[in-house]
C-alpha cells in the first residue's frame, strides 16, 4: 500500500512500449485511479490563508498522535508520513530533559544536543538496520513511525516532572518508575504494531530488539532525570 | 555469464570421476568454446569458479559480494542472518568448546555485521547504566545528589567501538602479513575477525549487569569468569591460524590478544564501577579515585 507511489512509476513506464497505429487518433484523459484519501490535491494550496495550511498540518499530526495512542494495525501512519510530529516530540523531550542535577557540568544529565543526537541518530541507525535486514518499508516512513512512537515517553516525561514537583523521595521514585515502564512498554508495542508487517518473518526479533534498546535508553534518561537544586541540602 | 561456467564445471566433475577410476584414459572435451585439455592431463582448478575474492578457496565458501561497495546490496549481504542464526552464534560464543572453532562452526562463511554492532551498542549502554547504578548504590552519604553522569556513555561508546573495530583490524593485518604468500586455509577474512571479536564481547553484557552487586570479591570473580570464557573463544579461534608460525610469534600473538581483552574488561570495571567513596564536596572536578583504586591497579598488574 505504501508502495503505490513507488510502484506506479515503473508500472506506467511500460506503456511507452505500446505502439499504436498512426492513423487512429488517440485522445482523452488518462487518470490514475487513486483512493479517495490520497494526498494529491487538484487545487493549489498556494492561495489559501496561512492559518489553513498550518491547521491542516497540525490536524494531520494530531491524527497521527491519536493513532499512536491507540495503536491498531492501521496504515495511516505509514501512508502519509511526515516528520513534523517527530521533530516536535524530539524538541520537547530534549528541552525537558536538559540540565538535570549537576554540581559540575560533567556529572549532570544529558544536554539538549546529546538528547537530540541520540534520538535522531538512533532512529536513523534503526531504520538502516531494518532496511539492511530486508525490510520493505521506506526510509522516511520508518523514521516517521519511530519518531511518533516517542509520544508515550514524552507524556511519561511530563507526568514525571509533575511528580517531581511534589518532592524527590522514594515514593516519587516508585511512581516515576511505574510511569516510565508503562510508557516504555506502550512505545515499543506501538512501534512494533506499525513496523512488524514490513519485516521478513524470520528476522522480526532482529528488527524489534534495536527498537527495544532505543526506547529503553530514552526511558532510562527520563527516569534518571533529577531537576537541578539550588545550593543547599 | 554464469551458465557456461556451470556447464563446464559439471563436465569436469564427471571427467574426474572417470579419470580417478582409470588414470591412464584419454580425455576429450566436447564443448567447443573451452580449450581441450591435453590427453591424460585434467587440470581441475576449483578456485576459478568463485565469484568473490575470498582467501578461503573452499567450495562451500562462496562470498556473496554483489555489487561494489557503493551500492546498498553490498552492505545488505552482511546482514544476511536470521534470528535463529544470531541466537545460535551467541550461544556458541558463551560456551566455547576446545574442538569447535567458532568461525568454522558457527559463522561458516556467512559473517554478519548485525551481531558485532548491536552487541557493542548494548554493551556500551549496559556498562554505562550499570556503572551509574552501582555508583549510586554504593554511596553511604544520605545527602548525596544522584548524578546521571551522562558523559560516561560517550566514553564507553568510544572505548568499546574502537576496541571492536581497531583490534580486529590489527589482528587481521598481522595474521595476513605473517601468512605472506602461503595459501593457507587458516586465514580469516577481516569480516570474520570482526565477527569473532563482536560475539566474544557478548559475555560482558550480563557480567556488567551483575557488577551492580557491590561485593568486591564477586566482581573480580565475575571478571575472571568472563575473561576465561571470551578469552578462550578468541584463543580457540586464532590458535590454528598462528600454530604454523614460529613458536615465539605464535605465543606472543595469542598472549597479546588475551591481554588486550583483559585490559578492556579491567579498564571498564575500574572506570565505571569505582567504589571510591565520594565526599560531597562542591568541587567541580571529578572526585579522584581513592586509594583502593591504586590497590586494584597493582593487583591487576600482578595477576597478569
Amino acid at each position: 500500500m505504501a508502495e503505490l507511489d513507488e510502484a506506479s512509476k515503473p508500472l506506467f513506464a511500460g506503456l511507452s512500449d505500446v505502439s499504436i497505429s498512426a492513423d487512429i487518433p488517440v485522445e482523452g484523459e488518462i487518470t490514475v485511479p487513486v483512493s479517495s484519501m490520497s494526498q494529491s490535491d487538484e487545487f493549489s494550496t498556494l492561495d489559501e490563508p496561512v492559518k489553513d495550511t498550518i491547521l491542516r498540518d497540525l490536524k494531520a499530526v494530531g491524527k497521527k498522535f491519536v493513532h499512536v495512542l491507540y495503536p491498531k494495525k492501521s496504515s495511516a501512519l505509514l501512508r502519509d508520513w511526515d516528520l513534523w510530529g517527530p521533530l516536535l516530540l524530539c524538541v520537547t523531550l530534549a528541552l525537558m530533559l536538559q540540565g538535570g542535577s549537576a554540581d559540575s557540568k560533567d556529572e549532570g544529565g544529558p544536554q539538549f544536543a546529546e538528547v537530540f543526537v541520540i534520538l535522531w541518530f538512533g532512529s536513523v541507525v534503526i531504520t538502516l538496520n531494518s532496511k539492511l535486514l530486508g525490510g520493505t518499508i521506506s526510509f522516511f516512513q520508518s523514521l516517521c513511525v519511530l519518531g511518533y512512537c516517542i509520544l508515550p515517553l514524552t507524556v511519561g516525561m511530563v507526568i514525571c516532572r509533575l511528580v517531581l514537583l511534589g518532592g524527590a523521595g522514594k515514593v516519587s521514585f516508585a511512581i516515576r518508575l511505574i510511569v516510565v515502564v508503562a510508557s516504555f512498554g506502550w512505545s515499543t508495542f506501538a512501534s512494533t504494531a506499525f513496523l512488524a508487517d514490513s519485516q521478513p518473518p524470520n528476522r522480526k526479533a532482529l528488527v524489534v530488539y534495536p527498537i527495544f534498546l532505543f526506547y529503553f535508553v530514552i526511558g532510562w534518561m527520563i527516569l534518571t532525570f533529577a531537576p537541578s537544586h539550588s545550593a543547599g541540602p | 555469464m554464469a551458465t557456461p561456467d556451470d556447464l563446464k564445471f559439471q563436465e569436469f566433475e564427471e571427467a574426474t570421476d572417470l579419470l580417478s577410476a582409470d588414470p591412464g584414459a584419454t580425455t576429450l572435451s566436447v564443448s567447443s568454446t573451452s580449450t581441450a585439455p591435453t590427453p591424460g592431463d585434467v587440470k581441475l582448478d576449483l578456485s576459478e569458479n568463485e565469484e568473490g575474492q575470498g582467501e578461503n578457496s573452499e567450495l562451500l565458501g562462496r562470498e556473496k559480494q554483489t555489487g561494489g561497495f557503493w551500492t546498498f546490496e553490498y552492505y545488505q549481504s552482511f546482514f544476511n542472518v536470521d534470528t535463529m542464526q544470531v541466537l545460535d552464534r551467541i550461544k556458541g560464543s558463551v560456551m566455547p568448546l576446545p574442538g569447535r572453532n567458532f568461525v568454522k562452526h558457527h559463522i561458516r562463511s556467512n559473517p554478519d555485521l548485525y551481531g558485532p554492532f548491536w552487541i557493542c551498542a548494548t554493551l556500551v549502554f549496559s556498562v554505562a547504566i550499570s556503572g551509574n547504578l552501582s555508583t549510586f548504590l554504593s554511596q553511604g552519604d544520605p545527602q548525596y545528589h544522584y548524578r546521571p553522569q551522562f558523559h560516561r556513555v560517550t566514553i564507553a561508546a568510544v572505548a568499546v567501538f574502537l576496541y571492536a573495530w581497531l583490534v580486529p583490524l590489527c589482528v587481521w593485518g598481522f595474521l595476513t602479513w605473517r601468512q605472506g604468500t602461503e595459501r593457507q586455509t587458516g586465514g580469516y577474512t577481516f569480516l570474520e575477525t570482526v565477527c569473532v571479536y563482536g560475539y566474544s564481547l557478548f559475555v560482558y553484557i550480563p557480567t556488567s549487569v551483575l557488577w551492580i552487586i557491590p561485593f568486591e570479591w564477586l566482581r573480580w570473580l565475575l571478571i575472571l569468569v568472563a575473561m576465561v570464557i571470551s578469552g578462550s573463544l578468541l584463543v580457540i579461534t586464532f590458535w590454528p591460524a598462528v600454530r604454523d608460525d614460529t613458536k615465539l610469534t605464535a605465543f606472543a600473538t595469542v598472549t597479546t590478544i588475551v591481554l588486550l581483552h583483559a585490559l578492556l574488561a579491567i579498564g571498564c570495571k575500574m572506570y565505571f564501577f569505582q567504589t571510591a567513596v565520594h565526599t560531597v564536596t562542591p568541587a567541580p572536578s571529578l572526585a579522584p579515585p581513592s586509594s583502593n583504586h591504586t590497590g586494584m591497579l597493582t593487583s591487576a598488574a600482578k595477576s597478569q
Side-chain angles (χ1 to χ4, degrees), chain B residues 12-27 38-43:
Chain B
F12 275 140
E13 208 170 32
E14 280 183 350
T16 46
D17 284 347
L18 291 173
L19 206 62
S20 58
D22 184 7
T26 55
T27 56
T38 57
D41 174 26
V42 173
K43 207 149 83 93

Side-chain angles (χ1 to χ4, degrees), chain B residues 14-277:
Chain B
E14 280 183 350
T16 46
D17 284 347
L18 291 173
L19 206 62
S20 58
D22 184 7
T26 55
T27 56
L28 249 170
S29 149
V30 184
S31 78
S32 52
T33 53
S34 64
T35 58
T38 57
D41 174 26
V42 173
K43 207 149 83 93
L44 186 67
D45 199 353
L46 296 176
S47 62
E48 270 176 6
N49 275 330
E50 277 188 338
E51 286 106 46
Q53 300 94 312
E55 285 115 35
N56 304 336
S57 55
E58 308 162 13
L59 269 179
L60 297 172
R62 262 182 298 143
E63 299 211 343
K64 319 167 204 51
Q65 286 182 0
T66 50
F69 64 90
W70 56 89
T71 60
F72 193 67
E73 284 74 28
Y74 177 76
Y75 296 105
Q76 231 172 356
S77 65
F78 302 138
F79 281 76
N80 200 10
V81 276
D82 294 337
T83 312
M84 292 321 291
Q85 279 180 314
V86 172
L87 287 177
D88 179 56
R89 288 175 187 190
I90 291 180
K91 260 200 298 231
S93 82
V94 177
M95 296 183 295
L97 300 172
R100 305 227 232 143
N101 191 337
F102 184 72
V103 173
K104 296 273 182 305
H105 195 84
H106 287 275
I107 297 191
R108 275 191 211 161
S109 309
N110 186 18
D112 70 306
L113 285 182
Y114 177 90
F117 180 75
W118 286 108
I119 290 178
C120 289
T122 314
L123 183 65
V124 163
F125 286 115
S126 83
V127 164
I129 292 178
S130 310
N132 197 218
L133 266 179
S134 86
T135 315
F136 173 65
L137 287 176
S138 70
Q139 295 304 317
D141 197 334
Q143 293 199 339
Y144 175 68
H145 287 323
Y146 171 73
R147 298 179 176 128
Q149 289 169 327
F150 197 74
H151 67 293
R152 292 190 160 183
V153 173
T154 326
I155 296 176
V158 168
V160 169
F161 274 99
L162 267 186
Y163 177 80
W165 290 89
L166 271 191
V167 174
L169 184 68
C170 298
V171 167
W172 170 76
F174 179 73
L175 285 179
T176 316
W177 171 62
R178 289 305 287 190
Q179 282 178 359
T181 53
E182 294 177 71
R183 297 276 310 161
Q184 285 182 22
T185 54
Y188 301 121
T189 65
F190 173 59
L191 280 170
E192 286 169 349
T193 324
V194 167
C195 228
V196 170
Y197 264 90
Y199 281 104
S200 75
L201 285 177
F202 175 80
V203 75
Y204 287 132
I205 297 178
T207 315
S208 66
V209 172
L210 285 175
W211 272 343
I212 299 179
I213 307 174
F215 298 120
E216 199 58 31
W217 59 268
L218 181 67
R219 288 181 179 175
W220 281 108
L221 182 68
L222 283 171
I223 269 201
L224 262 171
V225 170
M227 266 168 37
V228 160
I229 293 180
S230 56
S232 63
L233 176 75
L234 290 175
V235 166
I236 293 172
T237 311
F238 288 112
W239 180 246
V242 292
R243 186 175 37 197
D244 304 323
D245 215 330
T246 62
K247 268 279 196 254
L248 183 62
T249 328
F251 272 114
T253 318
V254 171
T255 319
T256 318
I257 291 176
V258 173
L259 216 67
L260 282 173
H261 212 65
L263 263 177
L264 177 78
I266 296 182
C268 275
K269 181 194 178 305
M270 296 215 287
Y271 182 70
F272 290 99
F273 293 86
Q274 289 167 356
T275 52
V277 178

Side-chain angles (χ1 to χ4, degrees), chain B residues 281-298:
Chain B
T281 56
S285 63
L286 186 64
S290 68
S291 55
N292 51 359
H293 181 78
T294 45
M296 278 186 244
L297 260 173
T298 47

Side-chain angles (χ1 to χ4, degrees), chain A:
Chain A
M1 217 176 303
E3 292 142 30
L4 183 63
D5 291 332
E6 291 142 88
S8 65
K9 289 198 194 88
L11 187 66
F12 292 117
L15 280 182
S16 59
D17 294 295
V18 176
S19 61
I20 306 175
S21 157
D23 49 340
I24 302 177
V26 177
E27 56 182 35
E29 267 186 46
I30 302 180
T31 51
V32 177
V34 293
S35 62
S36 55
M37 290 184 27
S38 154
Q39 282 276 16
S40 55
D41 299 312
E42 279 86 14
F43 56 91
S44 149
T45 59
L46 210 54
D47 295 329
E48 63 180 10
V50 175
K51 185 171 73 119
D52 281 355
T53 316
I54 294 181
L55 275 182
R56 186 177 50 238
D57 281 336
L58 278 180
K59 275 207 197 96
V61 169
K63 206 167 21 170
K64 292 206 195 63
F65 279 169
V66 171
H67 272 291
V68 170
L69 285 179
Y70 300 105
K72 315 181 274 280
K73 275 205 167 47
S74 85
S75 57
L77 220 73
L78 289 180
R79 218 176 10 204
D80 319 319
W81 61 267
D82 73 89
L83 291 179
W84 283 116
L87 181 67
L88 234 107
L89 288 171
C90 187
V91 168
T92 317
L93 196 60
L95 277 177
M96 288 202 286
L97 273 176
Q98 187 187 4
S101 89
D103 289 340
S104 76
K105 256 255 171 82
D106 294 338
E107 298 269 293
Q111 302 302 311
F112 181 89
E114 287 169 336
V115 177
F116 205 78
V117 161
I118 283 189
L119 285 176
W120 283 103
F121 191 61
S123 305
V124 166
V125 165
I126 293 176
T127 309
L128 274 180
N129 176 65
S130 87
K131 284 199 73 87
L132 283 169
L133 281 171
T136 54
I137 202 172
S138 94
F139 183 74
F140 286 108
Q141 281 169 349
S142 173
L143 274 187
C144 167
V145 168
L146 285 170
Y148 270 104
C149 291
I150 297 181
L151 177 67
L153 281 166
T154 313
V155 168
M157 176 80 205
V158 170
I159 299 180
C160 280
R161 279 221 80 159
L162 291 175
V163 168
L164 274 173
L165 283 180
K170 291 239 157 63
V171 175
S172 92
F173 178 74
I175 299 177
R176 281 187 291 141
L177 182 66
I178 296 175
V179 165
V180 166
V181 167
S183 47
F184 156 70
W186 199 346
S187 286
T188 315
F189 174 67
S191 61
T192 47
F194 289 118
L195 288 178
D197 286 336
S198 60
Q199 309 304 325
N202 49 350
R203 295 180 184 182
K204 275 216 173 63
L206 293 184
V207 174
V208 168
Y209 171 71
I211 301 179
F212 168 86
L213 184 68
F214 178 61
Y215 289 131
F216 181 80
V217 169
I218 298 179
W220 171 258
M221 288 198 293
I222 293 177
L223 184 62
T224 60
F225 173 78
S228 47
H229 297 270
S230 50

